[in-house]
């Protein structure tokens, strides 16, 4: 009888997702109450407003998808801001049919360089990728002479970032396609299983026959490509590339991955959690914008969210382990 009445318990990987989903509902409720009281309407509950927010959130979602691959290994990629910017600037500089391939090539090269430095030179990822970000910033300043580029995004870039299909922004479809690829890669391929194994314990994974250095390089390549794609889309949405266009995406991307339950030390996390984390960040940012919260306040809130979630998930991991 006792067994028949037992309530199924959430897995440790499911709990952060459930918490994040709960916060999404809370943000929607509180934001709607606030807008009703101040504006007399509740735009957060209208489909068109939500689709518009998810359209801009798609850029963050793509960055977070790549960031999750690296965090699952217990590493971090701080070169994302200027990888996005460099990819966008080079894509708009080349223009024409070669614009998007050129931007993606920038992400590929940055990812390969980051992976080589972390996997083969054994330099801590936080230090190495921060240095690469600085190098990319210097290269782009030299490329533009320190001024805003006068180039424009291509029609295809603008279509992918700004147009709609049956009322749904194309950018959301791009995010969905990237999400399907990453989710399948993590759950159904040997590479994905190797990422989890390497993130849990790299030495043990190496002794079991996994080529851990290649796994690390591969994860950083995926992160670089995702950052480059997000930069290309952002340039299409803005109709041009500009200095520092990726700076606002680093901390929210890390926050989305951590909020979604991916362990910051690697080895544990589900991609659906990152998607929920992105939606939470997008809606939170929308509410803060409506409240006219300054950028400094938003950064403080992002930081506090990461700290609180780390404390909650860290304590949960200790209890369940």
């Amino acid at each position: 009888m006792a067994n028949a009445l037992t309530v199924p318990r959430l897995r440790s990987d499911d709990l952060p997702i459930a918490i994040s989903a709960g916060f999404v509902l809370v943000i929607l409720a509180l934001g709607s109450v606030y807008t009703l009281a101040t504006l007399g309407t509740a735009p957060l509950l209208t489909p068109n407003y939500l689709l518009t927010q998810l359209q801009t959130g798609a850029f963050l979602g793509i960055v977070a998808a790549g960031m999750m691959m690296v965090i699952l290994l217990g590493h971090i990629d701080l070169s994302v801001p200027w990888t996005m910017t460099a990819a966008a600037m080079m894509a708009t500089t080349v223009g024409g049919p070669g614009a998007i391939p050129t931007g993606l090539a920038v992400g590929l090269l940055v990812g390969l360089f980051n992976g080589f430095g972390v996997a083969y030179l054994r330099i801590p990822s936080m230090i190495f990728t921060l240095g690469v970000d600085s190098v990319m910033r210097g290269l782009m300043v030299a490329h533009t002479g320190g001024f805003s580029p006068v180039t424009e995004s291509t029609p295809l870039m603008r279509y992918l970032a700004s147009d709609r299909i049956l009322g749904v922004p194309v950018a959301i479809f791009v995010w969905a396609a990237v999400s399907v690829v990453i989710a399948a890669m993590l759950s159904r391929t040997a590479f994905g299983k190797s990422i989890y194994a390497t993130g849990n314990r790299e030495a043990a994974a190496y002794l079991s026959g996994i080529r851990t250095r290649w796994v690390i390089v591969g994860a950083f390549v995926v992160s670089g490509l995702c950052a480059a794609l997000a930069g290309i889309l952002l340039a299409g949405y803005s109709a041009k590339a500009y200095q520092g266009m990726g700076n606002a995406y680093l901390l929210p991307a890390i926050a989305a991955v951590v909020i979604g339950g991916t362990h910051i030390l690697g080895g544990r996390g589900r991609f659906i959690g990152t998607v929920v984390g992105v939606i939470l960040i997008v809606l939170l940012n929308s509410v803060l914008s409506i409240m006219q919260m300054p950028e400094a306040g938003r950064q403080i809130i992002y930081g506090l969210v990461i700290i609180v979630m780390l404390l909650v998930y860290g304590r949960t991991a200790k209890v369940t382990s």
Side-chain angles (χ1 to χ4, degrees):
M1 180 64 68
N3 291 335
L5 297 177
T6 301
V7 178
R9 298 180 60 186
L10 289 172
R11 297 186 308 171
S12 59
D13 288 345
D14 292 331
L15 182 58
I17 301 173
I19 294 174
S20 298
F23 272 110
V24 168
L25 297 178
V26 169
I27 290 172
L28 281 173
L30 293 179
S32 298
V33 169
Y34 177 83
T35 54
L36 277 173
T38 57
L39 305 176
T41 183
L44 282 173
L45 300 179
T46 61
N48 187 59
Y49 184 86
L50 290 174
L51 284 175
T52 301
Q53 294 303 309
L54 290 178
Q55 178 182 11
T56 56
F59 313 142
L60 173 62
I62 294 171
V63 175
M67 184 68 74
M68 179 184 177
M69 301 285 284
V70 175
I71 292 180
L72 278 173
L73 290 170
H75 294 294
I76 195 122
D77 186 357
L78 299 183
S79 67
V80 161
W82 280 89
T83 300
M84 292 178 64
T85 304
M89 286 185 174
M90 297 312 299
T92 55
T93 298
V94 172
I100 293 178
T102 299
L104 293 177
V106 171
L108 174 64
L109 291 175
V110 172
L112 285 172
F113 192 66
N114 282 335
F116 177 80
V118 174
Y120 288 91
L121 302 182
R122 312 306 293 181
I123 301 174
S125 58
M126 181 177 294
I127 303 300
F128 192 83
T129 58
L130 184 62
V132 171
D133 187 70
S134 181
V135 170
M136 297 303 294
R137 179 171 63 247
L139 289 174
M140 289 304 101
V141 170
H143 172 66
T144 61
F147 299 99
S148 179
V150 296
T151 54
E152 296 182 353
S153 57
T154 65
L156 179 58
M157 293 167 64
R158 292 194 292 272
Y159 171 79
L160 293 175
S162 302
D163 281 13
R164 296 194 172 207
I165 298 178
L166 300 176
V168 179
V170 178
I172 296 179
F173 289 110
V174 177
W175 179 23
V178 172
S179 298
V180 169
V181 171
I182 298 295
M185 188 183 299
L186 288 174
S187 61
R188 299 181 179 276
T189 67
F191 176 61
K193 293 178 175 60
S194 298
I195 286 179
Y196 283 103
T198 304
N200 272 313
R201 185 166 296 179
E202 183 177 348
Y206 176 78
L207 292 175
S208 68
I210 295 175
R211 306 178 77 168
T212 55
R213 289 181 173 178
W214 283 32
V215 171
I216 294 172
V217 172
F220 275 101
V221 166
V222 173
S223 180
L225 287 173
C226 286
L229 177 58
I232 292 168
L233 293 178
L234 184 57
Y237 185 77
S238 305
K240 63 178 182 179
Y242 52 91
Q243 299 282 357
M245 60 191 297
N247 290 345
Y249 287 85
L250 178 60
L251 188 55
I254 298 172
V257 175
V258 174
I259 287 172
T262 299
H263 199 280
I264 197 68
L265 298 179
R268 189 165 67 250
R270 297 176 60 193
F271 185 76
I272 185 63
T274 296
V275 173
V276 175
V278 169
I279 295 173
L280 192 156
I281 291 292
V282 169
L283 293 178
L284 176 61
N285 188 62
S286 176
V287 172
L288 294 178
S289 297
I290 294 174
M291 297 174 64
Q292 298 182 346
M293 175 73 69
E295 183 62 26
R298 298 185 198 188
Q299 296 298 319
I300 292 173
I301 290 175
Y302 290 147
L304 288 176
V305 165
I306 293 175
I307 292 172
V308 170
M309 290 300 180
L310 283 174
L311 289 174
V312 172
Y313 298 162
R315 292 176 65 86
T316 302
K318 290 179 181 179
V319 171
T320 57
S321 60

